[in-house]
Amino acid sequence: MRHGQAALEYVLALASLLVVVGILWGLVVAAERHARRSEALVTSDSP
């Protein structure tokens, strides 16, 4: 029974890691979009 518990813990740790990486990736994408939008506003000709 302990072997199954250890495997479950590894799977949960891997799933948690993937969730954290996914959230960080989403934040990076959002920051990149915001930077592009801000750059477009700064470089636009209209006041």
Side-chain angles (χ1 to χ4, degrees):
M1 200 68 171
R2 290 304 240 169
H3 297 292
Q5 182 181 357
L8 178 63
E9 289 175 0
Y10 281 121
V11 168
L12 288 175
L14 180 62
S16 300
L17 180 65
L18 289 176
V19 166
V20 169
V21 168
I23 289 171
L24 289 176
W25 181 76
L27 288 173
V28 167
V29 169
E32 186 180 61
R33 287 181 185 165
H34 180 70
R36 266 192 259 128
R37 191 169 49 235
S38 297
E39 184 181 354
L41 286 172
V42 168
T43 58
S44 66
D45 290 333
S46 60

